[in-house]
């Protein structure tokens, strides 16, 4: 209590009884220097959590808050309080598996609107009661935010999905110049949402570097739209293969060998374009005397460039038809072997 060396408090996955609740309240009443608070899956009386969140409002050092409740029935009233965490240094807010409705999401975002330092916001699997109205509120929050670089709006078949409502967010992100990492996996967007939303966003956005987009029922048309969109995109460097959607697409088009082969070509083209973007990024940074980095592996700022850029790893892939990968004159990288063909499903 009040110890100046206490910077992180993690009481995740605990059932907080009355005695522990009193101790927790007293701790927060005397502590103003905790920078990380984790309450993932914690169960406590509503008034206790409400008071704890209220105490964090006075904590100007709070930089990270991680609250995951996984269908805890007391959450909706507490969720409305989380917006008050918008202190001057809050940089990360993780709210996962929340039974949000439009009203909860709107009030949360309204409370966070005054924050100008938030860099990471995760609302994963928190869409059970969210409609177009809630997604519109999220889009209006994300677009003008000056610091938000990572956004997780992933869904799950077991809990909740945004579906094609997420196209509202894609429309706003076309002109966004801050966000570099976006997770939209598990939202069942379908080909229509991929073509009209995600692909159009990739075509016009010139900031996004990382995209997670698996489990969205993407088929032949969706993969083609993403491939075509990357022809004009030079910033996206990380987009893991959507293995789940790819396997389902092969099963769906298994009887049509031509379409199955085209899907494979689309995937190869996408990976080839991402590799081109990574090489271009590395060359530009090296020419400027800066380290190569990816959204998953940002460089430690205090280390000199020579100690950080020692090896550049590029995934094995094949060139699209009619194109050849030659040795890069700057990085000295040799063309990788061709990707083995994947047989169409029976």
């Amino acid at each position: 209590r009040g110890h100046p060396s206490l910077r992180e408090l993690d009481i995740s996955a605990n059932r907080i009884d009355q005695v522990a609740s009193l101790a927790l309240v007293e701790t927060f009443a005397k502590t103003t220097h905790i920078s990380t608070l984790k309450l993932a899956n914690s169960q406590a009386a509503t008034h206790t959590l409400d008071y704890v969140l209220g105490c964090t409002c006075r904590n100007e050092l709070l930089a990270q808050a991680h609250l995951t409740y996984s269908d805890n029935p007391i959450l909706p009233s507490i969720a409305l309080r989380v917006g008050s965490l918008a202190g001057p240094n809050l940089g990360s807010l993780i709210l996962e598996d929340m039974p949000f409705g439009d009203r909860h999401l709107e009030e949360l975002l309204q409370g966070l609107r005054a924050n100008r330092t938030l860099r990471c916001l995760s609302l994963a699997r928190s869409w059970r009661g969210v409609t177009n109205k809630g997604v519109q509120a999220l889009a209006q929050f994300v677009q003008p935010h000056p610091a938000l670089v990572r956004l997780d709006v992933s869904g799950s078949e077991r809990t909740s999905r945004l579906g094609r409502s997420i196209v509202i967010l894609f429309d706003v992100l076309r002109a966004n110049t801050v966000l570099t990492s976006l997770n939209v996996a598990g939202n069942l967007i379908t080909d229509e949402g991929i073509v009209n939303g995600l692909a159009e966003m990739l075509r016009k956005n010139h900031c996004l570097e990382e995209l997670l987009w698996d489990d969205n029922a993407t088929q032949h048309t969706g993969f083609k739209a993403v491939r075509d969109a990357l022809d004009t995109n030079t910033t996206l460097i990380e987009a893991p293969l959507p293995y789940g959607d790819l396997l389902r697409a092969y099963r769906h088009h298994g009887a049509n060998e031509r379409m199955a082969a085209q899907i494979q070509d689309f995937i190869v083209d996408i990976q080839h374009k991402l590799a081109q973007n990574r090489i271009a990024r590395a060359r530009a940074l090296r020419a400027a005397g800066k380290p190569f980095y990816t959204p998953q592996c940002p460089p430690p700022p205090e280390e000199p460039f020579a100690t950080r850029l020692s090896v550049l790893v590029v995934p094995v892939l094949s060139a699209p038809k009619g194109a050849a990968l030659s040795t890069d004159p700057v990085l000295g990288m040799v063309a990788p072997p061709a990707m083995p063909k994947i047989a169409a499903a029976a």
Side-chain angles (χ1 to χ4, degrees), residues 125-188:
R125 303 175 301 280
S126 299
W127 314 111
R128 182 166 298 175
V130 176
T131 65
N132 287 358
K133 183 180 179 183
V135 179
Q136 183 66 47
L138 177 62
Q140 292 174 352
F141 171 79
V142 171
Q143 175 55 21
H145 201 286
L148 189 65
V149 295
R150 301 184 68 88
L151 178 63
D152 186 342
V153 292
S154 57
S156 168
E157 181 179 6
R158 185 181 63 84
T159 54
S160 57
R161 289 173 162 176
L162 282 173
R164 278 176 283 181
S165 295
I166 200 173
V167 172
I168 298 172
L169 180 62
F170 289 146
D171 289 344
V172 169
L173 292 179
R174 293 180 189 181
N176 185 276
T177 58
V178 180
L179 195 71
T180 60
S181 177
L182 178 64
N183 186 351
V184 296
N187 275 305
L188 197 64

Side-chain angles (χ1 to χ4, degrees), residues 237-302:
I237 59 177
E238 294 288 342
L241 281 175
Y243 286 108
D245 282 346
L246 186 57
L247 290 175
R248 283 185 285 271
Y250 274 115
R251 294 192 190 104
H252 181 74
H253 298 291
N256 190 327
E257 293 185 3
R258 183 180 64 83
M259 293 194 72
Q262 287 179 350
I263 291 174
Q264 178 171 319
D265 289 340
F266 296 155
I267 292 296
V268 170
D269 290 348
I270 289 171
Q271 294 301 103
H272 179 251
K273 179 58 180 175
L274 294 174
Q276 285 183 324
N277 288 351
R278 282 193 291 271
I279 290 174
R281 164 72 62 80
R283 295 173 67 184
L285 290 174
R286 184 167 184 175
K290 298 179 181 180
F292 174 75
Y293 69 92
T294 68
Q296 296 294 337
C297 302
E302 69 280 357

Side-chain angles (χ1 to χ4, degrees), residues 190-191 194 213 215-223 245-246 248-249:
T190 73
D191 270 2
I194 295 291
W213 60 302
D215 193 20
N216 279 304
T218 309
Q219 296 290 324
H220 180 278
T221 304
F223 287 123
D245 282 346
L246 186 57
R248 283 185 285 271

Side-chain angles (χ1 to χ4, degrees), residues 311-325:
V311 178
L312 175 64
V313 179
V314 173
V316 173
L317 48 92
S318 67
K321 293 181 178 179
L325 289 179

